[in-house]
Amino acid sequence: MNTVLALAHIVLKELYRRKDFYVLFVLTAVITLLMGSIRFFNDPNIVRDLKEICLLLVWVSALIIAVTTAARQIPAERESRTIFPLLAKPVTRGQVVMGKFLGCWLATGAALVVFYLFFGIMSGAHEDRWPVLNYFQAFWLQWMMLAVVIALVLSGSVVFSAPSANITICFCVVLGILLLGGHLNQVALQQGGLLGTITYTVYFLIPHLEWFDIRKFIVFNWPLVPWLDCFWATLYAIIYAAFFLFATWLLFRRKALTV
Amino acid sequence: MVIEIRNLIVEYKGRGFGQSSTVAVKDLNLKIREGEVFGFLGPNGAGKTSTMQVLLGFREATAGDAFLFGVNVREPIARQRIGYLPEMTYYYKFLTAEELLRFYAKIFRIPRAETVKRVEFLLKLVELESARKRPIGSYSKGMQQRVGLAQALINNPDLLILDEPTSGLDPLGRMKVREIIQRLKNEGKTVFFSSHELGEVETVCDRVAIIHQGALKVEGRVDDLVRRYQTNLEQIFLNIVGYEPPLPS
């Protein structure tokens, strides 16, 4: 665990020292604050729309940070050959994978905390409501979803040596699941036959990332999601993240270290 | 035995369809005892790097076994007592020398108080005290090589594996590396290094092995080899690799 934490710390330090990370981070924070500061005659519909746009921005930004950060971790280690002095120490490739995952996940978690803080302040100032627990649920479920995404991207980074190819493919897969994943069962019903069976199989195999999206609960001020459902969603995310991390380890364990 | 290599075979499979595999190391057997400075020599493509990669766990052997301190190199714990200096400087450029050393100390689970002392000692040893807070990316090649040496010594290793430790260094840098190797030898540490600098090898090493086309050609004490072949190490090396001097015009 000591080694995994040390590796995660290096990932965080690199992000902290890279300038490009701040561009997206500051941009999202500024847009969220700016939109929040505008008052449109206190019309509740406009406030709701603003909340929706800000939450979409938070989702997109967090996804970009997670995917781009995770995609370059292992290829960068191989390309710059920093993996050699690292693996010459008592470090296993499994620990490298876990350290990279933990570092990326903590980094996106930190970014999410700040995003939700801005969002909370903005919407609280407009509505005079402070539903802290609702925000916590939204943050937690989104963070869990990002764990699955990061693990998926890491496994992609072992398969595709070019991070750009991995980023593009992962974005397509994640956005595809978020937008269409929930409707695949209905599509399967309409198709029938072999194609329907295949679509059904895909529906049951893919990680349903859309289940973690509770933005509507925040936008329409709905009550809390039952905590038991949150627990099942967390467990679901852990299982999928563990599966992708295991796949990453399997692929990376015998992979040549040079690109 | 500090290093033991038994019937090691390393093969590279052909990448394309129908391409035959290449044998990089053929049935290599080697034993290195405690306190020795051992030179591992051979021309480019002889199989030195492949052997080192197996020893360091970067690559799996096709056949045979390798052991460090009696532990199979497949076990990560085999690398607990070794230090490794790669040929080129492969370190996190965004970290400072101090941070890099602390990071590696954490991996070796060195207690905090000891880490502080060790980092101070090593930065002084490689003369990087004044540059300790600067990112490694801003260092010159010589400085980066010195950081490499410091990181290889962070765990006070009993075995140091050096891959071309003086390549690309100026004469002063080479002298410094030689001094450090000598110092480690005096402390009873084992040093295993590959080099093309045969004069340097002759000065520093107790024993050498010359490998060519994946096979071990010669192994023995430097003075014994010089006596046996009645010539210097460079000439022995050239004879083994089949170099024929041009005819006088």
Side-chain angles (χ1 to χ4, degrees):
Chain A
M1 199 57 198
N2 201 39
T3 306
V4 172
L5 287 175
L7 282 161
H9 188 222
I10 290 293
V11 175
L12 289 170
K13 206 164 248 181
E14 189 198 1
L15 277 177
Y16 165 75
R17 287 184 186 166
R18 277 176 73 102
K19 303 286 178 285
D20 52 348
F21 175 73
Y22 291 109
V23 176
L24 188 67
F25 188 77
V26 171
L27 203 69
T28 309
V30 167
I31 294 172
T32 312
L33 274 179
L34 271 178
M35 293 189 90
S37 65
I38 303 167
R39 287 193 174 274
F40 296 96
F41 317 110
N42 282 335
D43 183 340
N45 287 332
I46 293 174
V47 173
R48 198 178 299 153
D49 289 345
L50 271 180
K51 278 168 72 176
E52 198 160 5
I53 293 167
C54 286
L55 276 176
L56 182 68
L57 203 65
V58 168
W59 263 71
V60 172
S61 301
L63 203 61
I64 292 173
I65 290 174
V67 173
T68 52
T69 306
R72 68 161 183 268
Q73 291 303 321
I74 293 174
E77 285 273 0
R78 290 171 64 204
E79 203 173 315
S80 64
R81 295 175 174 238
T82 46
I83 194 85
F84 287 109
L86 182 63
L87 289 180
K89 313 277 184 289
V91 176
T92 63
R93 294 193 190 198
Q95 285 171 323
V96 173
V97 171
M98 278 309 292
K100 296 291 178 190
F101 167 77
L102 189 65
C104 293
W105 191 52
L106 290 176
T108 47
L112 267 187
V113 166
V114 179
F115 288 156
Y116 273 96
L117 206 69
F118 280 134
F119 175 77
I121 292 167
M122 184 276 290
S123 68
H126 277 93
E127 296 181 319
D128 250 350
R129 288 179 72 249
W130 302 93
V132 178
L133 281 177
N134 297 56
Y135 292 155
F136 174 74
Q137 276 190 342
F139 155 78
W140 179 258
L141 290 174
Q142 191 179 349
W143 198 29
M144 284 296 140
M145 183 215 72
L146 289 174
V148 180
V149 172
I150 289 167
L152 171 78
V153 177
L154 277 178
S155 51
S157 73
V158 183
V159 179
F160 308 104
S161 45
S164 54
N166 186 27
I167 289 171
T168 311
I169 291 167
C170 286
F171 264 126
C172 290
V173 169
V174 170
L175 290 177
I177 292 173
L178 283 171
L179 298 172
L180 305 169
H183 308 292
L184 276 181
N185 55 341
Q186 288 157 16
V187 174
L189 277 176
Q190 285 169 3
Q191 281 173 330
L194 180 68
L195 208 60
T197 314
I198 293 168
T199 315
Y200 241 130
T201 314
V202 172
Y203 175 77
F204 282 109
L205 282 180
I206 58 168
H208 284 276
L209 304 175
E210 75 280 2
W211 291 351
F212 297 86
D213 183 3
I214 57 163
R215 279 178 295 161
K216 278 206 167 98
F217 283 69
I218 305 281
V219 172
F220 294 102
N221 295 326
W222 290 348
L224 283 170
V225 175
W227 288 104
L228 192 65
D229 291 355
C230 283
F231 169 77
W232 289 122
T234 305
L235 196 66
Y236 181 82
I238 290 170
I239 291 167
Y240 266 100
F243 168 76
F244 286 126
L245 287 175
F246 181 67
T248 312
W249 172 74
L250 274 183
L251 293 165
F252 187 48
R253 157 181 95 111
R254 290 185 189 275
K255 188 96 181 167
L257 293 176
T258 45
V259 180
Chain B
M1 218 49 75
V2 175
I3 298 178
E4 191 172 358
I5 298 172
R6 284 187 210 151
N7 310 105
L8 184 74
I9 297 173
V10 181
E11 252 180 45
Y12 293 96
K13 283 187 184 130
R15 287 194 173 182
F17 180 73
Q19 275 191 333
S20 59
S21 55
T22 315
V23 182
V25 181
K26 295 173 195 163
D27 202 24
L28 180 70
N29 286 285
L30 213 57
K31 283 181 181 176
I32 293 148
R33 292 175 217 100
E34 202 178 328
E36 272 185 343
V37 177
F38 191 92
F40 195 47
L41 315 175
N44 290 334
K48 300 189 301 287
T49 305
S50 299
T51 308
M52 278 199 169
Q53 288 193 340
V54 171
L55 280 179
L56 292 160
F58 300 159
R59 177 178 294 284
E60 295 241 345
T62 311
D65 283 306
F67 301 88
L68 295 173
F69 300 99
V71 182
N72 196 307
V73 291
R74 288 194 185 96
E75 304 290 329
I77 198 72
R79 300 189 286 278
Q80 183 69 33
R81 289 166 66 191
I82 70 162
Y84 166 60
L85 175 69
E87 182 186 355
M88 305 295 277
T89 51
Y90 309 133
Y91 309 107
Y92 301 105
K93 304 263 189 275
F94 54 90
L95 292 182
T96 65
E98 196 175 338
E99 285 169 339
L100 185 84
L101 295 180
R102 281 177 195 276
F103 165 61
Y104 286 134
K106 237 184 234 177
I107 284 179
F108 281 109
R109 296 162 191 266
I110 300 171
R112 196 167 291 202
E114 205 183 320
T115 299
V116 174
K117 277 189 215 159
R118 194 86 195 132
V119 169
E120 288 299 323
F121 167 74
L122 289 171
L123 287 174
K124 200 171 172 181
L125 182 78
V126 297
E127 294 168 9
L128 282 175
E129 285 164 297
S130 56
R132 63 194 298 163
K133 299 281 182 199
R134 269 170 50 197
I136 294 170
S138 68
Y139 285 7
S140 68
K141 190 173 188 287
M143 287 165 89
Q144 290 192 20
Q145 195 76 350
R146 269 141 61 198
V147 173
L149 200 56
Q151 66 80 30
L153 297 170
I154 189 72
N155 57 331
N156 195 13
D158 293 317
L159 165 66
L160 199 64
I161 297 179
L162 311 171
D163 192 1
E164 307 275 350
T166 54
S167 78
L169 289 184
D170 60 17
L172 200 69
R174 286 173 188 214
M175 179 63 79
K176 191 80 202 163
V177 171
R178 269 205 293 271
E179 272 174 27
I180 291 172
I181 293 174
Q182 194 59 49
R183 185 185 176 141
L184 291 166
K185 185 182 174 179
N186 295 342
E187 285 174 19
K189 311 276 187 189
T190 312
V191 182
F192 177 84
F193 80 100
S194 76
S195 179
H196 288 299
E197 305 288 333
L198 298 174
E200 184 179 273
V201 170
E202 206 167 340
T203 325
V204 177
C205 292
D206 300 316
R207 278 204 311 143
V208 292
I210 301 176
I211 181 173
H212 183 45
Q213 292 171 340
L216 183 69
K217 298 291 180 186
V218 165
E219 187 203 345
R221 291 193 62 81
V222 176
D223 42 4
D224 286 349
L225 291 177
V226 169
R227 207 175 307 129
R228 197 194 314 163
Y229 289 91
Q230 297 288 307
T231 183
N232 61 12
L233 195 62
E234 187 168 332
Q235 205 51 54
I236 298 169
F237 179 87
L238 292 173
N239 286 345
I240 285 168
V241 301
Y243 174 77
E244 285 178 18
L247 293 169
S249 52

